[in-house]
Amino acid sequence: MSLSTLALELLVRKRCWLLVALAALLNCGCHSVWALPQGAPETVCDTMLPFHAGGSVLPENSVSPFSVETSSSVVGQGQTLRIDVTGAPAGLSFGGFMIQARNRNPPYQIVGQFSPSRDGTVKLMNCENSVNNSATHSNAGPKPQVSLDWQSPVDFLGQVVFNATVAQSYNQFWVGIPSNPVQVVRRDVSAAAPLPTPSAPNNNNFNYASTRSPYVPPSYVAPSAVAASEDSFYDGCGQSKNCFGFPNGCVATKSCTSVSAVTVRGDIYEFELRSGKGTNAAYVALGLSDDAKMGEDLTTECVPENGRINLYSSYTSASPYSAVRANVPQNSARLLNASLVDGVIYCKVQREPLTVVQGRSFDLRNGAYHMLVASGSSLKENSVGYHDIGRLPSGSPINLAVVQDVGGSSQLLVRLHGAFMIAAWIGTTSLGIIFARYFKQTWVGSQTCGKDQWFAWHRMLMVTTWTLTVVAYILIWVELKRAVWHAHSITGMITVLLCFIQPIGALFRPGPNDKMRPYFNWGHWLGGNLAHILAIVAIFFSVKLPKAELPEWMDWILVGFVVFHVLVHLIFSIYLCMNHWQISGIASDRQQSQRINTFQMGDMTHHHQHAMRNGMSMERKMDAPYAGLRKGLLGVYSVVLILFVVVLILLVVLAPIEKLFE
């Protein structure tokens, strides 16, 4: 064999070995990302555990290099959330996956629905006799990342956790990779309807009940938590930027439930907004107001929606309360930065120095505005919901370019208004009505300032009610500086009018024997009782007012007072009926005795009439029966009534009372 022939044969053999090695390498590379080619079967809906090699391949017990990230930690009912399954470092590929959202609390059921992917890389699964509530891969090719859209259920409120199984190769996979919890909050959309849940076929003979938490390998070790760094949001507050939040004074302690900051550099006005951790906020907003009252304010809203933080500008109205985005130029502000981490909403917004809304100019360069921070846990259609988490205006209008310490507005007048109204209508009015109705025949013969005891006490208590009501009404007008119409204000207005005319009508009271006296008595009784009832209803309405900051359980204290007051009236009424029956019996016996002993002679008639008048005068000088029981019950009623009044006034004056205990 010649040298050239030998060299050619060696070259051919070398190329063949290279081809064989290359084929083997490709075969290994393909096998390294192989998972089940058609995705996970529905038989593993409960465990999410791959059955590779007949179950002989166990999941990894090391920390997973893959993670499940949600675009938001809060989502409204029926809204869409983006879910990303990614690896670390970025670009780390995987072949197969399975993911589902479960209730974080028992019974740990699967909730929500996944949407089909546009590129066809996601296969939807029907678990627990529902549709599209889990997702897996449609092919086992390498994937650096998978993004899915998940729609929350419209009939569920609470926290959900996304659990995923990720297979990097056929022999290497991780089970039970959790996301951070996602809070599903109420979304006030009247057109929302429950998602369809038709039955899906069961391909095996087992029914997997969701009565336990998602599967996690026993030896799974969660990644160590990263130590939280010091909150940098408050850096520069009062030095390079204006900061304001609620509750009042929270900036100094860096503990705001919601907080805002304004930084001004020339004509650049940057606003930062952030909600508090653990508040489950669905939005955070900042209003610029002329008068620290809601209405005709330019508002900046940061709202998590459909997997991202959206920025809106709105214009508020006071009657009824609303924040309207229509006819408000949305290009007057732009979003510079935003995030949603652990339920905390953050956004940084740049706003134009001049914004014109419905013919009104908001000039940030030359104007002075109150900062009004608000946050709530619900959304409406095309608007934010009620600011049930909190709301606070700054105490005075400021020029945003002038850095200063910004404090909240004083609530003194509001607190005094509430305290005076409770003292008047829960306290003095209730007691004054008791005296007038049940004590006219008690302490007979005893007088104060020339008046019977019952009348003296009734007049003093009702004059106190009138004075407290008028003062409280003036205080709230000084605070609001305008009429605000809602259930509390309307019932309160009617109460004040009735209260005001009651003593005026009493000045024109007819004499005891006047034929108009019965009409006055009925009118006075009706006006007083109607005012009392409406006042208590107005106090119930006040519990829901955000400015009052009263706890919802105050309603139960008011209910307790109403029950106690009605019960005492019932007992007094029983005593009154017993008095009438006993007096009627005595009068009947006397009339019969008088008929037997009546003289028929005319010269005795005057003497007889004089004796009758003397007898009636003697009766009027005696207390009605059961006077001691009435006095005892009055003492008990007065003590309990004072306790109710003191507790209610403390709730008003110390509001919000929860912060005091915290």
Side-chain angles (χ1 to χ4, degrees):
M1 181 182 294
S2 64
L3 184 61
S4 60
T5 302
L6 180 61
L8 180 60
E9 183 177 353
L10 290 174
L11 180 61
V12 170
R13 289 182 179 180
K14 183 177 181 181
R15 288 181 177 178
C16 290
W17 280 108
L18 287 174
L19 289 174
V20 171
L22 181 60
L25 180 62
L26 289 175
N27 183 63
C28 292
C30 293
H31 181 73
S32 67
V33 294
W34 273 0
L36 293 179
Q38 302 299 324
E42 293 177 0
T43 55
V44 297
C45 283
D46 187 51
T47 63
M48 301 181 68
L49 181 64
F51 201 65
H52 293 180
S56 61
V57 180
L58 299 178
E60 297 291 325
N61 57 15
S62 60
V63 176
S64 170
F66 303 98
S67 62
V68 180
E69 305 291 339
T70 61
S71 59
S72 172
S73 62
V74 61
V75 63
Q77 291 175 316
Q79 289 186 327
T80 302
L81 191 71
R82 191 182 71 248
I83 315 299
D84 294 321
V85 181
T86 58
L92 181 65
S93 297
F94 57 93
F97 73 93
M98 179 181 174
I99 188 170
Q100 55 187 210
R102 285 184 179 266
N103 186 354
R104 194 183 186 191
N105 300 307
Y108 308 111
Q109 75 275 20
I110 305 174
V111 296
Q113 288 184 335
F114 288 95
S115 301
S117 62
R118 296 180 180 178
D119 56 6
T121 58
V122 175
K123 174 185 174 183
L124 302 183
M125 304 172 62
N126 302 327
C127 294
E128 294 186 350
N129 295 324
S130 187
V131 295
N132 301 341
N133 58 3
S134 302
T136 185
H137 56 278
S138 61
N139 64 78
K143 309 169 185 64
Q145 178 179 345
V146 170
S147 296
L148 307 97
D149 290 330
W150 177 82
Q151 186 179 30
S152 64
V154 298
D155 56 353
F156 175 84
L157 288 173
Q159 286 188 325
V160 299
V161 174
F162 291 88
N163 292 270
T165 293
V166 179
Q168 189 174 13
S169 66
Y170 187 84
N171 297 320
Q172 189 177 26
F173 53 86
W174 289 262
V175 177
I177 304 173
S179 71
N180 288 325
V182 174
Q183 185 76 28
V184 180
V185 299
R186 182 174 289 104
R187 187 171 188 264
D188 300 329
V189 181
S190 59
L195 295 173
T197 56
S199 299
N202 194 357
N203 297 328
N204 56 354
N205 296 324
F206 299 96
N207 291 320
Y208 295 97
S210 299
T211 56
R212 59 186 178 83
S213 58
Y215 174 82
V216 178
S219 56
Y220 174 76
V221 180
S224 59
V226 179
S229 58
E230 186 177 353
D231 194 346
S232 60
F233 185 96
Y234 299 94
D235 293 346
C237 287
Q239 299 175 351
S240 60
K241 61 183 181 181
N242 288 314
C243 299
F244 178 64
F246 66 82
N248 194 18
C250 65
V251 173
T253 58
K254 299 182 179 181
S255 59
C256 293
T257 302
S258 291
V259 63
S260 64
V262 184
T263 305
V264 181
R265 296 189 299 273
D267 281 345
I268 299 176
Y269 289 78
E270 292 181 351
F271 296 80
E272 294 178 274
L273 299 175
R274 195 180 73 177
S275 66
K277 189 172 183 179
T279 61
N280 296 326
Y283 72 90
V284 61
L286 173 67
L288 299 178
S289 173
D290 287 331
D291 54 6
K293 308 295 187 299
M294 185 174 179
E296 300 181 353
D297 309 323
L298 177 62
T299 305
T300 303
E301 305 169 357
C302 293
V303 185
E305 289 179 318
N306 299 323
R308 56 177 295 177
I309 304 292
N310 289 328
L311 168 67
Y312 297 104
S313 295
S314 63
Y315 191 65
T316 63
S317 62
S319 298
Y321 289 119
S322 62
V324 181
R325 298 169 185 168
N327 301 321
V328 179
Q330 298 298 319
N331 58 357
S332 61
R334 62 189 184 96
L335 189 62
L336 301 179
N337 190 12
S339 66
L340 186 59
V341 180
D342 294 334
V344 177
I345 306 170
Y346 170 80
C347 66
K348 187 175 184 180
V349 179
Q350 181 177 332
R351 182 168 282 285
E352 295 292 330
L354 179 64
T355 303
V356 179
V357 181
Q358 299 182 12
R360 183 180 175 191
S361 298
F362 289 86
D363 187 355
L364 305 187
R365 297 189 193 94
N366 305 311
Y369 300 97
H370 291 267
M371 298 173 66
L372 200 159
V373 180
S375 183
S377 61
S378 64
L379 302 174
K380 296 181 180 178
E381 192 170 11
N382 299 321
S383 178
V384 296
Y386 177 67
H387 41 76
D388 55 342
I389 295 177
R391 165 188 173 273
L392 183 67
S394 60
S396 59
I398 64 169
N399 186 305
L400 299 179
V402 179
V403 178
Q404 57 195 281
D405 292 328
V406 185
S409 62
S410 173
Q411 300 291 307
L412 176 62
L413 297 184
V414 176
R415 303 288 180 253
L416 289 176
H417 168 81
F420 287 173
M421 286 300 192
I422 286 175
W425 294 101
I426 300 292
T428 57
T429 301
S430 302
L431 196 56
I433 290 175
I434 292 288
F435 271 104
R437 186 173 299 177
Y438 304 110
F439 284 85
K440 290 181 179 179
Q441 288 298 316
T442 309
W443 296 296
V444 174
S446 175
Q447 293 187 336
T448 300
C449 299
K451 300 294 182 182
D452 290 342
Q453 290 289 353
W454 75 267
F455 183 79
W457 281 100
H458 173 75
R459 182 173 60 181
M460 182 189 69
L461 291 168
M462 289 310 183
V463 168
T464 304
T465 295
W466 189 90
T467 304
L468 290 173
T469 300
V470 171
V471 172
Y473 189 68
I474 294 173
L475 289 176
I476 203 63
W477 265 104
V478 172
E479 170 69 18
L480 298 178
K481 298 181 177 66
R482 63 182 177 187
V484 178
W485 301 111
H486 44 66
H488 173 75
S489 63
I490 293 172
T491 53
M493 173 73 75
I494 299 173
T495 300
V496 171
L497 291 176
L498 291 171
C499 174
F500 193 79
I501 65 177
Q502 278 291 96
I504 297 176
L507 293 176
F508 299 96
R509 179 176 66 249
N513 298 321
D514 194 295
K515 64 179 182 179
M516 299 299 295
R517 183 60 178 260
Y519 297 102
F520 166 81
N521 290 341
W522 279 107
H524 193 68
W525 174 87
L526 179 62
N529 283 278
L530 183 60
H532 191 211
I533 293 171
L534 288 176
I536 294 175
V537 171
I539 294 173
F540 270 102
F541 284 138
S542 70
V543 177
K544 304 300 181 183
L545 295 178
K547 200 173 186 67
E549 300 180 295
L550 298 173
E552 292 185 359
W553 46 265
M554 180 175 167
D555 281 336
W556 293 107
I557 299 179
L558 293 172
V559 169
F561 160 74
V562 171
V563 172
F564 171 71
H565 183 71
V566 171
L567 182 62
V568 170
H569 268 277
L570 181 61
I571 297 174
F572 273 126
S573 297
I574 293 173
Y575 282 154
L576 192 62
C577 291
M578 293 171 65
N579 290 343
H580 285 315
W581 292 336
Q582 186 167 348
I583 292 173
S584 297
I586 294 174
S588 178
D589 292 341
R590 285 191 177 183
Q591 289 175 1
Q592 185 176 0
S593 175
Q594 288 168 0
R595 285 196 298 269
I596 295 173
N597 298 294
T598 296
F599 290 97
Q600 301 298 322
M601 290 179 291
D603 57 352
M604 297 297 294
T605 303
H606 175 74
H607 183 76
H608 169 69
Q609 293 175 354
H610 180 69
M612 289 286 292
R613 284 196 296 269
N614 289 339
M616 293 172 63
S617 177
M618 291 178 63
E619 287 182 6
R620 286 197 297 269
K621 292 181 180 179
M622 297 174 57
D623 281 1
Y626 310 108
L629 292 176
R630 288 198 305 277
K631 293 175 184 178
L633 182 58
L634 176 65
V636 174
Y637 177 80
S638 300
V639 171
V640 177
L641 182 66
I642 291 172
L643 291 177
F644 271 114
V645 171
V646 169
V647 170
L648 291 171
I649 288 179
L650 287 177
L651 290 179
V652 170
V653 173
L654 300 178
I657 195 70
E658 293 89 347
K659 300 297 181 183
L660 184 65
F661 293 104
E662 290 176 2

